[in-house]
Amino acid sequence: MGPHKSPVRRSVKRALVASVVGAAVAGAAYVLVPMDRGDGRPPALGPAGRAMAAVGAGAPAALPDLAALIGEREAHLRAHPGDDHSWAVLGSAYVARGARTADFAYYPKAEQALRTSLRARPRGNPEALTGLAALANVRHDFRAARAWGEQAAKQAPKRWTVYPALIDAYTGLGDAKAVGKALASLQKLGPAPAVKTRTGQVYRDRGWREDANAALTDAAALARTRAEKAAGLHRVGELAWERGEPAQALRYYEAALDADPDHHPSLAGKGRALAALGRTSESLHAYRSALARQPLPEYALELGELYESLKLRPAARAQYDMLRARVKQESAGGVNNERVLGLFEADHGDPEAAVERLRAEYKRHGNPQTADALGWALHLSGDGEAGLKLVTKAMKDGPRSALFAYHRGEIERQLGWYGAARRHIGEALRINPYFSPLAVREAKRAMEALGEPPEGGPEQMYAPVEPAPAPAAAWTSPRRVTPPGYSSRQVTPRRSTMRRGTPSTPRQSTRTAPARTASPGS
């Protein structure tokens, strides 16, 4: 065999190595484009291929499948370190693995792999750019996610997989207009499951609960893998929880766990729903299991507040200590938990320190959740008027949230605006009477202190009616009648055809009127 054939042989060998991970055609193209046979059914893939398809579509992947994909790509790259596609695949898989397991150590590895891919192919590499956008989103660095995502969209505007990452980034920045544009692009280009999922999430953030429920239910029905189905069922359960329906939410959480026992968000949701239903011991067990699988700071905060509501203060303090330690650990992996930590400090620590922390976070990421957290911290630190402006903005721009409504009502109560306070605290309890084990208790106490509104309504519904001035002797215009409840100044009279100081006779027209004919009987 002549030497002129060696490049071909090397090319064939490289293609065969790339196919080891289970992609049937052009394995590297799987980075961000899921394979489909055209009939709506997924191709028959091995564990690594399934993980690659899920990661490429921004969908959840099963943990064993992710482990298989990572192992195979690492082995391939040891032999082929210049393969930019495989570096992008590996980096995106690290992002997904870190998000599923809350192992922040994967994030620096993901960044290194994705940047290696970019160095190998600086231009025309939307796969690596989208992976970096996804990494920035899971780190809650939404400015960086927007920058990477917009670069990817500029390079490949028809590649649908960049738009879910952009939707997450714009949502984190509180840019509703940009969210709408990115969603419109996804709806034109993306497959039904991805479109339904993101559409439902955007509708939920806009407060369109019925539309969100319909879209997310469809997304769960269209799920192609058990991990994807679990994520879809969990989202529908979250909507049920936010509506104040813990029994229905529990059914969705349990169905999600049947599909994927490793789905930790459904374990935490199950704990939340069981606590609302009074099944406290089961609730504590679910929360502990969720924290064992993924020790997120928000789970520790929820469990600590549940312990505190049960007057188990040492156990609550242990969870709060875990929260602080976890935030510190995750910050080493580049994860931003300022909003969660700020809310915790406002309610359980130093409100003034919370204001400082949250004010900086709000400048970076001005979304409704951060606006509400900062507004609440400002109120607790003594600046209720400034806090009320932010919480009101959060209610206007964000989802229909019992917590937002409670914060607004409680600030109004402290400011002495009792009618508005009664309305918004009552709204919080109507939206979800179980939204927080501690805040619900305070909301009920506040409503008792406010009492019922006074009977009969306000003493005077309208401005007092001013008496009409007496007409001058020479003024002969018709009498003006003031409608009940209006001031005479609020009624603008028609322009009179009379002249001041002249007899009350209409001016004669210069035109000759036709002769009138008497009617019968006149």
Side-chain angles (χ1 to χ4, degrees):
M1 186 173 292
H4 64 282
K5 293 184 180 181
S6 60
V8 177
R9 293 183 63 188
R10 287 197 299 270
S11 176
V12 172
K13 182 178 180 181
R14 182 170 179 172
L16 289 172
V17 172
S19 68
V20 170
V21 296
V25 179
Y30 248 113
V31 177
L32 291 170
V33 181
M35 187 181 293
D36 197 300
R37 295 182 297 191
D39 57 1
R41 292 180 297 165
L45 299 175
R50 288 195 302 268
M52 188 181 290
V55 168
L63 288 175
D65 292 351
L66 279 172
L69 174 60
I70 289 171
E72 290 187 6
R73 281 297 168 180
E74 288 176 340
H76 172 74
L77 285 165
R78 281 193 288 270
H80 304 275
D83 186 349
D84 56 270
H85 285 289
S86 289
W87 281 115
V89 171
L90 181 61
S92 297
Y94 282 151
V95 173
R97 177 78 177 181
R100 286 296 309 270
T101 62
D103 189 347
F104 58 86
Y106 278 102
Y107 296 155
K109 295 170 66 176
E111 183 172 3
Q112 181 180 2
L114 293 165
R115 289 186 180 276
T116 301
S117 177
L118 275 182
R119 284 194 297 271
R121 184 159 53 105
R123 296 184 179 182
N125 194 348
E127 299 92 345
L129 292 170
T130 305
L132 286 166
L135 174 61
N137 277 324
V138 298
R139 283 173 158 174
H140 308 146
D141 185 358
F142 301 111
R143 284 186 178 181
R146 176 182 61 188
W148 292 119
E150 288 178 348
Q151 286 186 55
K154 186 176 180 180
Q155 289 188 9
K158 300 297 184 183
R159 185 183 290 269
W160 69 266
T161 47
V162 68
Y163 294 104
L166 274 175
I167 289 171
D168 289 346
Y170 292 139
T171 300
L173 293 169
D175 191 344
K177 186 176 180 180
V179 167
K181 290 182 179 179
L183 178 62
S185 297
L186 177 63
Q187 290 170 335
K188 291 178 183 177
L189 302 170
V195 169
K196 292 288 186 181
T197 296
R198 296 298 171 172
T199 299
Q201 291 173 337
V202 171
Y203 286 171
R204 178 260 175 193
D205 292 338
R206 292 176 178 175
W208 303 351
R209 284 185 167 178
E210 291 78 11
D211 295 325
N213 189 73
L216 292 176
T217 301
D218 288 347
L222 293 168
R224 295 180 171 186
T225 66
R226 296 180 69 84
E228 192 176 353
K229 188 174 188 64
L233 290 168
H234 171 260
R235 294 186 190 101
V236 181
E238 289 289 273
L239 285 177
W241 167 257
E242 291 170 1
R243 291 194 306 267
E245 300 172 356
Q248 184 175 358
L250 179 61
R251 287 194 290 272
Y252 281 109
Y253 295 142
E254 289 179 335
L257 290 167
D258 286 341
D260 182 4
D262 293 321
H263 197 253
H264 60 84
S266 292
L267 270 173
K270 183 177 178 180
R272 204 179 302 128
L274 288 167
L277 295 170
R279 296 161 61 178
T280 306
S281 60
E282 295 173 81
S283 169
L284 295 174
H285 176 72
Y287 267 123
R288 293 189 197 107
S289 298
L291 279 164
R293 298 187 188 193
Q294 191 176 44
L296 289 176
E298 49 264 41
Y299 296 168
L301 179 57
E302 287 185 26
L303 180 55
E305 291 188 341
L306 178 58
Y307 278 133
E308 192 170 342
S309 72
L310 298 171
K311 302 189 184 305
L312 300 173
R313 290 184 175 82
R317 285 195 296 272
Q319 292 302 318
Y320 298 154
D321 291 341
M322 180 189 295
L323 181 151
R324 292 189 182 96
R326 184 65 188 179
V327 167
K328 186 175 181 180
Q329 290 172 355
E330 289 192 0
S331 65
V335 180
N336 168 26
N337 282 308
E338 291 297 283
R339 183 174 63 84
V340 174
L341 188 57
L343 263 179
F344 164 73
E345 289 292 349
D347 282 324
H348 306 283
D350 184 351
E352 293 183 359
V355 167
E356 183 177 354
R357 186 182 300 277
L358 289 167
R359 186 172 278 134
E361 177 65 8
Y362 186 62
K363 288 180 181 178
R364 289 190 296 268
H365 306 128
N367 56 61
Q369 288 76 16
T370 308
D372 171 76
L374 176 57
W376 183 242
L378 283 166
H379 155 67
L380 293 175
S381 67
D383 193 352
E385 292 185 0
L388 182 60
K389 292 178 182 178
L390 284 164
V391 174
T392 302
K393 177 176 173 56
M395 285 190 70
K396 178 183 176 183
D397 298 339
R400 192 160 185 247
S401 165
L403 184 63
F404 290 4
Y406 166 68
H407 284 168
R408 180 174 178 178
E410 187 61 29
I411 295 172
E412 288 165 338
R413 186 171 76 96
Q414 296 298 326
L415 292 173
W417 300 358
Y418 300 125
R422 188 182 294 108
R423 179 169 67 254
H424 290 119
I425 296 175
E427 181 182 353
L429 293 172
R430 287 190 297 273
I431 292 173
N432 183 0
Y434 315 100
F435 67 91
S436 163
L438 290 178
V440 163
R441 183 175 63 191
E442 296 301 319
K444 291 178 178 178
R445 289 176 178 172
M447 289 298 286
E448 290 177 3
L450 288 166
E452 295 296 327
E455 296 182 1
E459 294 182 359
Q460 189 162 343
M461 298 292 290
Y462 305 99
V465 177
E466 299 179 7
W475 181 252
T476 56
S477 64
R479 182 185 174 190
R480 289 164 56 194
V481 179
T482 303
Y486 287 82
S487 167
S488 61
R489 295 178 180 176
Q490 294 173 294
V491 180
T492 303
R494 296 179 180 176
R495 182 173 294 176
S496 175
T497 59
M498 314 299 177
R499 292 183 179 179
R500 186 181 293 273
T502 60
S504 57
T505 303
R507 289 181 293 173
Q508 296 296 324
S509 172
T510 57
R511 299 173 60 185
T512 304
R516 295 182 61 191
T517 303
S519 61
S522 59

